[in-house]
Amino acid sequence: MTVHKLLWLMPSLIFPLLTHAASKCSDITLSVTASSHADDIVLPNLNPKNPNFVDDLLNAGVGDVGRVWPLIPVGDTFNISAIFCEPKVYNEANAVQLLAHGATYNKLYWTGLGLPEDQAMPYDWTRFATDKGYAALAIDRIGSGNSSHPDPLLDIQTSLEAEVLHQIVLQLRNGKIGKRFSKVAYVGHSMGSLIGMRSTQLHPQDYDAVILTGWSANFVENFPKILAANLLPAAIALPHRFADYNPLYLALTIRKFVRDAFYGPDGSFDPKIEEYNFNNRDAVGTGELVSILAGTTKTTYAGPVHIIDGEFDAAFCSPGPKCVRGPNTAPGNTAPLFPNAQKFSYSLIPNTGHCLNLHHSADKTFQSAHDFLHENLENA
Ligand SMILES: *[C@@H]1O[C@H](CO)[C@@H](O)[C@H](O)[C@H]1NC(C)=O
Ligand SMILES: *[C@@H]1O[C@H](CO)[C@@H](O)[C@H](O)[C@H]1NC(C)=O
């Protein structure tokens, strides 16, 4: 162990509760200009007046035949709302983690849902990261939280979101956000992992390490359709929060569905967290669901990759109901999507569902991610 690392460890051993207080988080807004084209997806003839419009749209996005969506150029200057946390003392990687949440969530997924600190602590990824000497930037993806809400069908798609990530990476490396970072680790959850996959396809050199949580190449059959059946325009479902949203921003409507889709068995999470999560759920742009499959194809990314799934992930442990280790089952069977990766590894977190950070096991997820980063960034 180097002297530097010893010095960094000592205060956290002696004053475990004081060191985090000394790290600092701030709410920031980034201005990001990005452009792409709407993903090359297949849509049938759609009639927004049809009551099944949302279903039809989403079914189209997961592969039914229809006409090809034209390659419409999309892009703009967006406000990206983010929480930026810096450690008291950086570790030798001098790295920042770029954290991207899943659909119907926002940046607060990474900070214990924004609950008061004593309640949020066990679920706070950013706190764990800064305690290990990493900076963390948790963003509201476009269309979520307090970031810009552009066209929910054409703009909120994986390709444009991936270009937004690329611009944020450039800002991190150029010293526009905190210090000039020499290493950037991508950390996605669920839809954030799918968009991360897309970003490694478009910009394979952007990241020094990639962690994809709540993700595999295998959607549980019918999951997108079940999801679709539980969505309504957010302006109708949650008018007190989203009255002015374009009707193609959608919100989940049935608590039981959200609980079963996103959480593990009873006892694996605190029901108060699940309730708070449901009451504070965010909206999702339709285009994100339609372009979802762009994040399940091969990438030329050549750095290390680590996947972390709850063993009871209802969305990605296909064929289910559990993820099991092995080369022919999710997530081990995802390795062929990374033919150039320097390393591919994965962990399954016991007694845990899709939204890993919100379970009693959250610290095991955080530890798995940071063991991987320690091995691949701090000694490299
Ligand atoms: C967005 O801003 C409002 C007002 O400042 C705040 O209450 C809310 O928690 C923010 N949401 C997110 C996801 O940051
Ligand atoms: C970004 O934020 C600024 C300042 O609040 C605001 O004037 C501008 O309209 C926002 N832009 C978008 C695209 O939301």
Side-chain angles (χ1 to χ4, degrees):
M1 185 176 286
T2 63
V3 170
H4 173 91
K5 196 177 279 176
L6 262 179
L7 287 176
W8 162 70
L9 268 177
M10 270 164 50
S12 65
L13 289 174
I14 301 167
F15 307 111
L17 295 173
L18 294 182
T19 45
H20 187 77
S23 72
K24 61 179 194 305
C25 292
S26 38
D27 289 314
I28 60 172
T29 303
L30 314 174
S31 179
V32 172
T33 302
S35 62
S36 176
H37 54 72
D39 282 295
D40 185 7
I41 51 176
V42 174
L43 290 182
N45 286 314
L46 295 170
N47 174 5
K49 297 208 171 96
N50 178 336
N52 295 326
F53 174 60
V54 169
D55 272 11
D56 291 351
L57 194 59
L58 297 174
N59 289 341
V62 296
D64 292 359
V65 279
R67 77 186 163 79
V68 175
W69 190 262
L71 297 179
I72 300 173
V74 288
D76 207 337
T77 297
F78 304 111
N79 290 332
I80 299 294
S81 175
I83 298 172
F84 180 57
C85 300
E86 285 194 281
K88 186 178 181 207
V89 182
Y90 279 88
N91 67 40
E92 62 206 55
N94 185 30
V96 60
Q97 303 174 11
L98 174 54
L99 308 175
H101 60 84
T104 76
Y105 286 84
N106 53 45
K107 60 183 177 301
L108 303 178
Y109 174 75
W110 304 103
T111 62
L113 300 176
L115 283 161
E117 193 178 342
D118 56 328
Q119 293 168 53
M121 201 182 0
Y123 309 105
D124 189 341
W125 180 298
T126 64
R127 179 191 177 98
F128 197 100
T130 52
D131 283 353
K132 298 284 185 194
Y134 289 91
L137 180 72
I139 58 163
D140 283 335
R141 293 192 283 97
I142 50 172
S144 301
N146 291 331
S147 289
S148 298
H149 280 67
D151 187 293
L153 178 58
L154 294 180
D155 286 335
I156 307 298
Q157 294 205 3
T158 45
S159 292
L160 182 57
E161 292 205 55
E163 295 297 349
V164 168
L165 291 175
H166 176 62
Q167 294 302 325
I168 294 172
V169 170
L170 294 180
Q171 293 193 19
L172 288 166
R173 291 195 189 269
N174 291 335
K176 302 266 172 58
I177 307 167
K179 56 157 52 184
R180 190 181 279 270
F181 291 101
S182 47
K183 291 181 183 163
V184 179
Y186 185 79
V187 185
H189 174 246
S190 191
M191 192 71 213
S193 294
L194 289 155
I195 291 166
M197 271 305 274
R198 184 71 184 131
S199 84
T200 66
Q201 293 162 3
L202 296 171
H203 300 285
Q205 61 294 85
D206 270 3
Y207 307 114
D208 300 278
V210 168
I211 299 174
L212 303 176
T213 72
W215 176 85
S216 79
N218 290 54
F219 267 121
V220 168
E221 205 182 342
N222 281 332
F223 185 79
K225 289 186 185 182
I226 303 168
L227 192 66
N230 282 278
L231 290 164
L232 272 182
I236 294 172
L238 298 165
H240 57 296
R241 292 165 58 209
F242 301 131
D244 57 346
Y245 278 23
N246 177 310
L248 288 181
Y249 278 104
L250 308 175
L252 289 163
T253 53
I254 301 168
R255 181 167 163 196
K256 172 80 168 70
F257 165 79
V258 176
R259 182 253 169 271
D260 291 349
F262 293 162
Y263 287 85
D266 282 346
S268 65
F269 61 91
D270 179 347
K272 288 205 280 301
I273 291 291
E274 179 270 323
E275 180 182 16
Y276 186 85
N277 175 179
F278 186 73
N279 292 335
N280 292 278
R281 66 200 185 280
D282 211 318
V284 53
T286 313
E288 202 160 271
L289 303 174
V290 167
S291 61
I292 211 161
L293 294 184
T296 57
T297 55
K298 262 186 202 175
T299 173
T300 59
Y301 166 74
V305 183
H306 187 57
I307 314 261
I308 310 176
D309 284 326
E311 68 171 354
F312 291 107
D313 188 319
F316 289 98
C317 284
S318 181
K322 276 180 77 170
C323 276
V324 286
R325 296 195 71 86
N328 301 318
T329 50
N333 63 355
T334 301
L337 297 191
F338 305 93
N340 300 349
Q342 173 198 330
K343 275 186 207 163
F344 173 89
S345 57
Y346 63 95
S347 320
L348 296 178
I349 308 298
N351 205 30
T352 301
H354 179 62
C355 288
L356 298 100
N357 294 10
L358 306 179
H359 287 72
H360 291 313
S361 61
D363 67 322
K364 294 198 177 67
T365 298
F366 304 163
Q367 189 65 51
S368 171
H370 289 81
D371 286 348
F372 164 79
L373 293 175
H374 176 73
E375 188 182 324
N376 288 286
L377 294 185
E378 288 166 49
N379 306 314

